[in-house]
Amino acid sequence: MTRRTFQRAGEAERRQDLITATLDSISEHGLEGATVRDIAARAGVTGGLIRHYFTGKDQMVQAAYREMLATMTRTAVDAMADAGEDAHHRLHRFIVANVSPPIADPKALSLWAAFIGRVRSDEELARIHRENYMLFLEILENLVASLLSGHGRQPTPSECRHLAIAINGLIDGLWLENSLASDLFDEDRLPQIALDAVEALLGGIALRPAVGMN
């Protein structure tokens, strides 16, 4: 195992390396098997240095869960970066990103499965989960509102929330499909299914990007 060198690393970089090591350990060993000793070894630090950044394993797990969710959401948002102001293309990119690698992959699934079993019994994990869920819905609501407004509709907040929840449920299901059995599908199959379903939810509004846009 390669040990990282921390002597010249900044505080933020050291903390981030510990979070990354925590995620790697949880992915391989699960929440119970991910020990502070293993995390320290992966990060190339002593247990004493870990206590400089975290009060204990529970706080490390919470930081790791926050990082995992934030990274997935950030990756999907970043996928819209070159879509300009085109509402169709932005929603298209956001949906495809959420059901495709690197968001949908076996490691992400193993981490999600490890954390989700603890969410109901850990108040802080539950709070982190809820915060990210509400942020994700807000992103979808804004994308849906922008798209429908461009088609002459003035959706109410309730309608946007309703559609956002439905789209999120669809994304969750196809994310699980791709993470569990990506080898069973052509590369574009699940994104295409997602787009078809969202277009149906939106009353037939096409999400395909204009010619020349990927």
Side-chain angles (χ1 to χ4, degrees), residues 58-211:
D58 285 348
Q59 193 177 63
M60 296 167 72
V61 167
Q62 292 159 4
Y65 189 46
R66 183 181 293 107
E67 175 69 14
M68 185 196 80
L69 295 178
T71 298
M72 293 172 74
T73 300
R74 185 168 58 249
T75 299
V77 170
D78 288 348
M80 300 187 291
D82 63 350
E85 298 302 318
D86 186 288
H88 304 78
H89 196 205
R90 287 174 63 80
L91 185 54
H92 176 280
R93 283 292 189 89
F94 188 78
I95 291 167
V96 170
N98 274 291
V99 297
S100 305
I103 295 177
D105 71 6
K107 181 178 180 180
L109 177 62
S110 68
L111 285 169
W112 176 83
F115 285 117
I116 205 67
R118 185 75 66 85
V119 165
R120 291 179 63 86
S121 60
D122 186 307
E123 290 185 3
E124 181 62 16
L125 287 183
R127 186 186 67 79
I128 293 167
H129 182 87
R130 184 178 181 84
E131 280 184 359
N132 189 81
Y133 176 68
M134 298 307 294
L135 172 61
F136 198 85
L137 285 185
E138 182 181 351
I139 293 169
L140 278 172
E141 288 171 24
N142 290 334
L143 289 169
V144 167
S146 178
L147 181 67
L148 294 181
S149 296
H151 284 263
R153 294 169 58 179
Q154 297 302 321
T156 65
S158 178
E159 181 182 2
C160 290
R161 173 58 60 93
H162 180 90
L163 288 168
I165 292 171
I167 294 170
N168 180 66
L170 171 69
I171 287 172
D172 280 350
L174 292 176
W175 174 85
L176 190 61
E177 291 275 348
N178 210 1
S179 298
L180 277 172
S182 61
D183 59 312
L184 298 181
F185 307 104
D186 297 334
E187 181 179 355
D188 297 329
R189 177 63 61 83
L190 295 182
Q192 187 63 54
I193 291 172
L195 292 170
D196 288 345
V198 172
E199 288 175 356
L201 285 170
L202 296 174
I205 297 176
L207 298 182
R208 276 55 176 179
V211 176

Side-chain angles (χ1 to χ4, degrees), residues 5-18 49 52-53:
T5 301
F6 274 62
Q7 283 77 0
R8 297 184 179 180
E11 294 287 305
E13 183 181 348
R14 287 184 177 185
R15 190 175 190 279
Q16 183 59 49
D17 279 342
L18 287 170
L49 184 59
H52 176 72
Y53 296 95

